Each structure stands twice: as structure tokens, then as C-alpha cells.
């Protein structure tokens, strides 16, 4: 039982890391201003909606 739980947790952590990397990649592409939402979604493997949400986050004022 413990082995399966560890594998499940490892898979969850891997998936989270992969998703975070995709978001960071998409943010860099958005900042470049050279690609469409559709192109960014294709290259980052995010949905167009997720890319648009990231773009909206970029437009928000940053608080430190």
C-alpha cells in the first residue's frame, strides 16, 4: 500500500512541476509579444484560455 501511495504522490508532484514549467514558458512567450495566443498554447501545451489568463495576470499591477 505504501509504495502505491508514494508513486501517486510522485506522479502528482511531477505533474505540478510540468504544469508550472509550461506556465513559465508561456509567460516568456507572452512577454516577447511575437506569438499569438494559439501559437503559445500549442507550444506550451496549455489551453488558449489558460494563456489568456496568464496574459491577464501580466497586465495586473505587481505588488511587492
Amino acid at each position: 500500500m505504501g509504495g502505491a501511495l508514494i508513486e501517486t504522490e510522485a506522479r502528482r508532484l511531477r505533474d505540478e512541476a510540468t504544469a508550472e514549467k509550461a506556465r513559465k514558458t508561456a509567460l516568456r512567450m507572452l512577454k516577447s509579444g511575437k506569438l499569438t495566443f494559439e501559437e503559445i498554447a500549442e507550444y506550451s501545451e496549455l489551453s488558449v484560455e489558460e494563456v489568456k489568463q496568464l496574459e491577464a495576470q501580466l497586465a495586473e499591477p505587481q505588488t511587492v
Side-chain angles (χ1 to χ4, degrees):
M1 178 94 160
L5 183 60
I6 291 171
E7 283 183 33
T8 301
E9 182 65 10
R11 190 175 302 116
R12 183 187 67 77
L13 291 171
R14 183 196 65 218
D15 292 346
E16 284 180 18
T18 300
E20 181 62 23
K21 183 171 181 156
R23 286 189 292 273
K24 287 181 179 183
T25 298
L27 282 169
R28 285 195 310 274
M29 289 186 229
L30 283 166
K31 288 177 183 178
S32 78
K34 297 179 182 180
L35 300 170
T36 66
F37 292 136
E38 291 78 11
E39 289 170 325
I40 294 171
E42 180 181 341
Y43 301 146
S44 66
E45 299 182 352
L46 296 174
S47 69
V48 172
E49 186 59 37
E50 289 172 304
V51 173
K52 288 180 179 181
Q53 289 173 356
L54 289 172
E55 196 263 345
Q57 290 175 6
L58 285 176
E60 294 176 2
Q62 301 295 315
T63 56
V64 178

